[in-house]
Amino acid sequence: MTTLCPLDALSQKFSSLFGDQPEVLVRSAGRVNLIGEHTDYNEGFVLPAAIDRHICLLARRRPGRIVRAYATEFNDLATFPVQESPAERHGHWTVYLRGVIELLQRRGVEIEGFDVLIAATLPRASGLSSSAALEVGTASLVQALFPFAMDELELIKLVQQAEHQFAGTKCGIMDMFVCRLGRQAHALFLDCRSLEHRLVPLALDQVALVICDTKKKRGLAGSAYNERRAQCEEGVRLLRQWLPGISALRDVGLEQFISLADRLPPVVRRRCGHVVAENARVLEAVSALERDDLAHLGRLMQASHASLRDLYEVSCPELDTLVESALRVQGTLGARLTGAGFGGCTVNLVRRDALEEFKEKVGADYVRRFGQEPGILVCNATDGVRVQWLSAPACSEESSDG
């Protein structure tokens, strides 16, 4: 899969579909979470990076208040009025666009009709936030076509609300945050309670960020994601008996948890134990990146995967095989599942001089076990979203925050 959408070919497709050339291109990046899994909805810490695989939206304004949207992946052209609620189309791919449009209009944004072609270099349903990339891309596209002023945090929260309300997934805010605010050659450290955030240098000169896709698709809303979230909330409720001041697992220190763990039911103990330790690992990982200690980051990633596998129980044979195979390559510093789990992808830190060996050995092991090749993407940390005018009113490329 290439890193950039083929603009010329997509522009020709746009013209054949809609009878005119696109005005604007929005590239909305996916993300990979380096460490900090299932901590975001527990008000904890995460360390994602935007990656150079995108959802691409080519668009042009049109008269009236009708949106015509075409998705190359589905070869599907959908038409809907701007003012129509998306509720009755729940589950259709357009719900991601329509939910964002609906909520922007509720905030008073005046949106007219437009045509949009959607393509991707980002694999769908693989744990790389294709849905958040599409939602953030839609918000950025509407902001470009029909300019409005909105605080970045307010816009990010709006996109998260669209995912909750219309897509049916009670996700944390991490995906939207990094898809909008990620920057080249950096990871983004985010406190999911205060929403304070800062960029952390991600030096990838000698080491590559490699994503391995199991190609095992899983719908996040239909998975055990919501069950895990409820188990964490139950843990907080029980721990308040001894720690009355806590409101989320974020408030529980590692030593505190160890002293109280035996008082929790076994399943709840495992879920909470992962989250408490994972928050500590994120803070340690930020410190490692700031001193350019990628070897230590790799060790933390390995500990994270073991915890996700054994305590949070969101791994699967496909993910475990990819991690185990990666760690048998001498040049691999770290490997772990990334995203919600149950399928999707792993993220790996691999020395660049070991990349060919990594691809060969990891690919061969996976084929022997599952009869198909995994997707292997060598990625860079990039900007979260970029807007490029292809014709008037602008001819320059600008970032989401202008």
Side-chain angles (χ1 to χ4, degrees):
M1 181 173 279
T2 60
T3 62
L4 293 176
C5 294
L7 182 56
D8 289 344
L10 291 177
S11 294
Q12 291 176 13
K13 180 66 174 178
F14 185 98
S15 180
S16 69
L17 284 168
F18 303 123
D20 210 337
Q21 291 296 312
E23 292 179 298
V24 65
L25 166 65
V26 175
R27 295 188 188 96
S28 187
R31 69 96 184 96
V32 66
N33 195 22
L34 299 177
I35 196 166
E37 221 62 77
H38 292 278
T39 53
D40 56 346
Y41 54 82
N42 287 293
E43 300 184 15
F45 308 111
V46 292
L47 188 65
I51 58 171
D52 54 350
R53 300 298 192 280
H54 302 87
I55 301 291
C56 304
L57 302 95
L58 282 85
R60 186 177 188 88
R61 291 162 291 191
R62 66 187 310 275
R65 303 197 69 198
I66 295 293
V67 174
R68 297 186 295 182
Y70 175 80
T72 60
E73 181 174 2
F74 303 112
N75 189 26
D76 185 35
L77 178 63
T79 301
F80 56 89
V82 170
Q83 67 272 23
E84 182 180 271
S85 171
E88 71 278 8
R89 296 294 297 273
H90 187 87
H92 191 262
W93 66 267
T94 57
V95 75
Y96 299 104
L97 285 78
R98 300 174 71 188
V100 172
I101 291 170
E102 170 78 6
L103 293 182
L104 285 172
Q105 290 183 115
R106 291 182 192 176
R107 301 291 181 89
V109 176
E110 295 184 5
I111 303 173
E112 300 297 325
F114 61 93
D115 295 326
V116 58
L117 181 150
I118 301 165
T121 63
L122 179 67
R124 181 174 58 90
S126 58
L128 300 177
S129 292
S130 58
S131 61
L134 179 54
E135 290 158 335
V136 168
T138 299
S140 301
L141 176 65
V142 171
Q143 193 171 37
L145 293 177
F146 312 105
F148 62 89
M150 186 176 290
D151 177 77
E152 286 285 6
L153 182 55
E154 184 181 359
L155 187 62
I156 289 167
K157 288 181 175 179
L158 181 146
V159 172
Q160 182 193 31
Q161 183 185 351
E163 179 84 19
H164 288 186
Q165 185 170 341
F166 299 109
T169 303
K170 300 296 183 182
C171 63
I173 204 167
M174 171 184 70
D175 295 354
M176 294 76 187
F177 229 101
V178 71
C179 287
R180 179 77 178 183
L181 298 181
R183 289 294 177 264
Q184 186 174 359
H186 287 82
L188 182 75
F189 172 62
L190 173 64
D191 179 333
C192 294
R193 169 175 287 170
S194 69
L195 300 184
E196 293 180 1
H197 58 281
R198 60 188 171 91
L199 295 169
V200 182
L202 182 57
L204 296 175
D205 297 334
Q206 304 300 318
V207 175
L209 195 62
V210 183
I211 297 168
C212 296
D213 185 358
T214 64
K215 299 186 178 178
K216 179 180 181 179
K217 306 299 184 185
R218 81 284 180 278
L220 190 57
S223 73
Y225 176 99
N226 291 332
E227 179 186 55
R228 296 299 189 278
R229 184 167 185 155
Q231 290 164 342
C232 291
E233 291 168 354
E234 175 66 4
V236 172
R237 187 187 70 78
L238 294 172
L239 287 168
R240 281 201 191 103
Q241 298 173 72
W242 307 282
L243 301 171
I246 68 171
S247 61
L249 288 175
R250 145 71 173 275
D251 299 314
V252 182
L254 192 54
E255 291 184 3
Q256 287 178 312
F257 181 79
I258 291 171
S259 70
L260 297 170
D262 288 344
R263 305 185 191 187
L264 298 176
V267 172
V268 173
R269 180 195 314 148
R270 292 196 297 272
R271 306 299 184 251
C272 296
H274 163 74
V275 173
V276 172
E278 187 81 344
N279 276 322
R281 282 189 285 267
V282 175
L283 297 176
E284 201 172 339
V286 170
S287 177
L289 279 182
E290 289 176 336
R291 62 178 186 270
D292 198 20
D293 188 351
L294 294 179
H296 188 56
L297 174 61
R299 290 189 290 271
L300 292 168
M301 291 169 64
Q302 293 174 47
S304 174
H305 182 79
S307 180
L308 288 160
R309 180 191 63 214
D310 301 333
L311 300 182
Y312 222 66
E313 297 180 277
V314 294
S315 193
C316 62
E318 291 87 351
L319 288 165
D320 291 340
T321 295
L322 286 175
V323 168
E324 292 159 9
S325 298
L327 294 176
R328 284 196 288 269
V329 176
Q330 189 172 2
T332 301
L333 302 182
R336 61 181 289 274
L337 73 84
T338 186
F342 312 107
C345 293
T346 65
V347 59
N348 308 266
L349 286 178
V350 184
R351 288 204 314 263
R352 291 190 179 273
D353 58 10
L355 279 175
E356 293 308 312
E357 179 188 0
F358 180 95
K359 293 177 185 178
E360 179 180 346
K361 290 187 175 180
V362 171
D365 285 351
Y366 198 78
V367 169
R368 278 193 296 270
R369 179 78 187 273
F370 300 106
Q372 66 171 336
E373 294 185 358
I376 298 181
L377 310 176
V378 179
C379 297
N380 294 303
T382 191
D383 294 329
V385 66
R386 300 290 289 183
V387 176
Q388 179 182 352
W389 283 95
L390 306 174
S391 60
C395 298
S396 61
E397 185 172 295
E398 56 191 43
S399 66
S400 62
D401 57 2

